């Protein structure tokens, strides 16, 4: 059984910084062998995951594309003051009510 050559891991902190420097421009993040890996990373980028590297939620858009050696993830920085950022923040941060007091 043939083994695949080892690939370098994605440097998400460096990529997020590059995307912030070029708002609105789609850039290659990383290529994954498995579609589920690429899809998972794209989701994490959209919701501000991966250790907060792509935070706040909605500040980045991400998409996947099938390529010859797997599935590529592309992302772009859209800003952290948009409607998507507010909507995703509302989904992932519990709403605080005055009656919710900690004692």
């Amino acid at each position: 059984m043939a083994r695949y050559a080892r690939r370098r891991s994605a440097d998400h902190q460096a990529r997020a910084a590059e995307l912030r420097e070029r708002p609105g421009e789609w850039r290659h993040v990383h290529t994954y062998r498995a579609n589920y890996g690429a899809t998972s990373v794209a989701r994490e980028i959209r919701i501000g995951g991966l250790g907060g590297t792509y935070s706040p939620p909605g500040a980045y858009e991400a998409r996947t594309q099938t390529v010859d050696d797997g599935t590529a993830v592309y992302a772009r920085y859209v800003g952290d003051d948009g409607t998507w950022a507010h909507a995703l923040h509302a989904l992932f941060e519990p709403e605080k009510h005055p009656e919710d007091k900690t004692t």
Side-chain angles (χ1 to χ4, degrees):
M1 182 159 138
R3 298 196 83 173
Y4 291 109
R6 184 161 171 82
R7 290 187 188 188
R8 289 187 148 183
S9 297
D11 184 351
H12 288 287
Q13 290 190 352
R15 190 62 70 211
E18 290 173 11
L19 293 169
R20 280 185 178 268
E21 291 173 4
R22 296 171 176 250
E25 183 179 316
W26 288 100
R27 309 256 315 170
H28 179 257
V29 174
H30 194 68
T31 299
Y32 297 86
R33 284 198 181 93
N35 181 52
Y36 64 84
T39 302
S40 177
V41 168
R43 178 186 174 280
E44 289 295 314
I45 291 170
R46 286 190 293 271
I47 66 169
L50 296 171
T53 301
Y54 294 98
S55 66
Y60 294 85
E61 293 179 339
R63 62 181 172 86
T64 61
Q65 181 177 338
T66 303
V67 293
D68 288 339
D69 58 343
T71 304
V73 175
Y74 294 89
R76 68 179 174 176
Y77 178 71
V78 294
D80 55 9
D81 60 349
T83 303
W84 276 111
H86 180 70
L88 286 171
H89 182 74
L91 285 172
F92 292 99
E93 292 292 322
E95 188 176 337
K96 300 208 188 255
H97 299 283
E99 63 271 8
D100 296 338
K101 295 180 184 176
T102 56
T103 55

